[in-house]
Amino acid sequence: MLAIDARDVTKTFRSGWLRRRETHALRGVSLAVPRGAIWGLLGPNGAGKTTLLSILATLLTPDGGSVTVLGHDVLREAAALRHRLNMASGRPSFLWSLRVDEIIAFYGRLYGLHGAALRRRVDELVELCELVPFRRVQYSELSTGLKQRVALAKSLVNDPELLFLDEPTLGLDPDVSVRVRQHIARLRREQGITIVLTTHYMREAEELCDEIAFIKAGRIPARGTPGELKRQIRLGEVIALKLDPAAVEWLAEAPGVLRCAEAGGWVECTVDEAEKRLPELLRALHADGVVVKNVQVREPDLEEVFVELAK
Amino acid sequence: MNWRNELLAVWAVAVRNALMASRNVFFFFELLFWPIVGVVSIGLMTRFLELTPEQASFVLIGTIALSVVNVCQLEVAYAVLMDVWSKSLKHQFLAPIGIRHLTLGSWLVGIARGLAIFVLLAAFGWWAFGFAVLAPGLPAVAVFVFGCFLTAWIVGVAVCALITLFGNRAEAFAWASVNLVLVLAGLYYPVSVLPESLGAVAAAIPLTYFLDAYRAHFGFASEFRAPIATGLALGALYTALAHWAFFAAIRRARRTGLLLKMSE
Ligand SMILES: Nc1ncnc2c1ncn2[C@@H]1O[C@H](COP(=O)(O)OP(=O)(O)O)[C@@H](O)[C@H]1O
Ligand SMILES: [Mg+2]
């Protein structure tokens, strides 16, 4: 069962009164997100991540294509859909003068909570998002990290089946980011919420997501599990060698070697297939009288995949 | 339609507006300072000009109506404006609520504030200048203040529509156009003194009729045949139009991305 089924979604923003400017934010994007997944949308700034998320969350209407979310058409059944989803942004903004618990309660009422149930929900969320000492503090006086926790609390107020997180760890200290990520993973594990998050941090996507789509200039050129993506992009694998003598000229031209680079006393050869090329390289090096002092084989980082794709 | 959820959403907006009003540093000025300054200056002016008590009441009713409408319309506009200023507009349109909840909830708070102002200014006018603003009795007063609130609702919703249509830039323009309309409603003079073309504009404004009906109790001949019915009919028509405009503006903002742009 799909939580999101979007096909060929397009969106163009038009701006400017005198000089009309068109921004093709989405140029035909399709995606299928199964229920219960954590799904990552990864891409550089301006790629169209927020635009896509906003369309899925009914904040923006698509120009073309079809979008079904939780079985509802986003254009015709937006009202019913809004009860079942929610969204939080890493750049949150709420009414300045309201206090933390007032903000959560306000949105809770909009989703139909009241009385004791509302109070209980506010208490739960304040607890869950570690906001207990701040519940009577005005929003404008909170730090960025606390504001983001308020945004997360607000986004859970209606017990959403589907949660959109737009760059949830943007600008957070590393230790806070780690906690937010643990939190996100727990939401899915314990409550079965389907989560779609955008990020431009590879590690985050790799750590959290079952599946990742790369989005760039309004298109999704690649998608899959983190492992699949690396293979799909065919970045190859890296064989790092410590040699004596330190540099060997012919290595870059050896069969199966895509490129070679030197880094910190290591020669890093990117090869198409490590398992096949490693024995060949070792034999050739031995024959050449080069001493191999150390060898490491590793998969390329998703970071490298990303750099490659973003070119 | 689920009535409990309807009321709850209206209540949510009302609570929020009331909380924000209670923390607004300008609240004091909006609620007390300017209205009282207005009544004092008008009161002193009527003495200087040696107006009859009837004429003085005529002018004072206009001043009080303006204050009530202003405070109430501002509160209605806050339904959107506060969120625009805080860049949090998208959250309430992500939630399953309609614009009726926003406009009704904020109107309720506007009515509460408007009533407070009305009572205060009436009492102040009586104490300082001996104006008997409440003399026509409760039913007439109720119709009059309702007319003020209805006008304020229309104006406030229209401001919301303009802001969601044109973005924050429209704010100043929205207020200016609104005040222009109010001045034409014959706040300080009978509509009959207006040139014919402006008189036609005044005749299209609901507040004109409620002022006219109320002033009839102070001995001024009514300029219209059935002012209250006409005022209510026009008010209902504009209420519907303003809400439709607001609805259309939100739908457009979802299409153009303005809803997002105003939230970042
Ligand atoms: N509301 C909007 N109005 C006009 N242009 C927009 C709007 N939102 C986004 N854009 C443009 O669309 C493109 C994609 O933006 P966005 O989806 O925000 O990217 P991302 O979230 O990946 O950084 C950008 O060029 C941006 O300037
Ligand atoms: Mg973005």
Side-chain angles (χ1 to χ4, degrees), chain A residues 11 13 17 54 57-61 82-83 86-87 93-99 102 106-107 109-114 138 154, chain B residues 4-5 8 12-13 15-16 19-20 23 82-83 85-88 90-91 93-97 169 254-257 259-260 263:
Chain A
K11 185 74 202 174
F13 291 110
W17 292 91
S54 303
T58 76
L59 283 172
L60 191 65
T61 44
R82 284 182 197 131
H83 281 283
N86 215 320
M87 184 167 181
S93 44
F94 292 101
L95 292 162
W96 307 313
S97 60
L98 293 193
R99 303 194 168 128
E102 291 165 351
F106 168 59
Y107 291 104
R109 287 192 197 98
L110 293 188
Y111 287 96
L113 288 171
H114 66 110
Q138 281 193 7
K154 175 259 156 187
Chain B
R4 219 195 46 200
N5 282 357
L8 206 58
V13 175
V15 169
R16 175 195 64 166
L19 281 171
M20 284 191 309
R23 300 202 183 123
M82 288 280 189
D83 271 299
W85 290 336
S86 306
K87 302 183 181 301
S88 55
K90 65 179 176 188
H91 296 298
F93 291 104
L94 184 68
I97 62 161
R169 298 172 287 182
R254 281 192 207 271
R255 203 174 62 238
T256 61
L259 194 61
L260 297 175
S263 311

Side-chain angles (χ1 to χ4, degrees), chain A residues 121-262:
Chain A
R121 191 83 190 118
V122 172
D123 287 346
E124 271 169 23
L125 290 171
V126 163
E127 186 101 9
L128 184 74
C129 298
E130 301 172 47
L131 288 163
V132 177
F134 309 100
R135 67 179 292 159
R136 298 299 291 160
V137 177
Q138 281 193 7
Y139 182 74
S140 58
E141 284 160 21
L142 299 174
S143 68
T144 311
L146 288 171
K147 284 179 178 167
Q148 273 157 313
R149 277 191 247 162
V150 174
L152 194 62
K154 175 259 156 187
S155 73
L156 295 171
V157 77
N158 61 328
D159 245 324
E161 293 164 58
L162 176 59
L163 182 61
F164 296 104
L165 300 173
D166 196 4
E167 314 213 10
T169 58
L170 190 75
L172 291 183
D173 291 337
D175 54 326
V176 185
S177 304
V178 168
R179 284 237 295 287
V180 170
R181 284 200 282 272
Q182 287 168 349
H183 204 115
I184 294 170
R186 204 166 66 218
L187 282 175
R188 189 263 296 267
R189 204 169 53 237
E190 291 174 7
Q191 304 181 34
I193 304 179
T194 309
I195 297 172
V196 177
L197 63 86
T198 72
T199 179
H200 56 250
Y201 303 123
M202 268 28 70
R203 298 251 175 266
E204 189 159 294
E206 199 167 6
E207 187 184 321
L208 278 176
C209 301
D210 307 318
E211 216 176 319
I212 298 170
F214 276 107
I215 183 166
K216 189 191 151 197
R219 289 201 179 85
I220 296 184
R223 70 181 81 207
T225 63
E228 276 168 7
L229 266 176
K230 290 173 191 168
R231 282 194 293 280
Q232 193 177 331
I233 312 291
R234 309 244 287 151
L235 261 193
E237 288 161 291
V238 175
I239 300 174
L241 300 157
K242 218 165 208 166
L243 304 174
D244 184 18
V248 179
E249 295 235 328
W250 53 263
L251 258 183
E253 269 87 57
V257 175
L258 304 172
R259 59 183 172 272
C260 271
E262 260 180 85

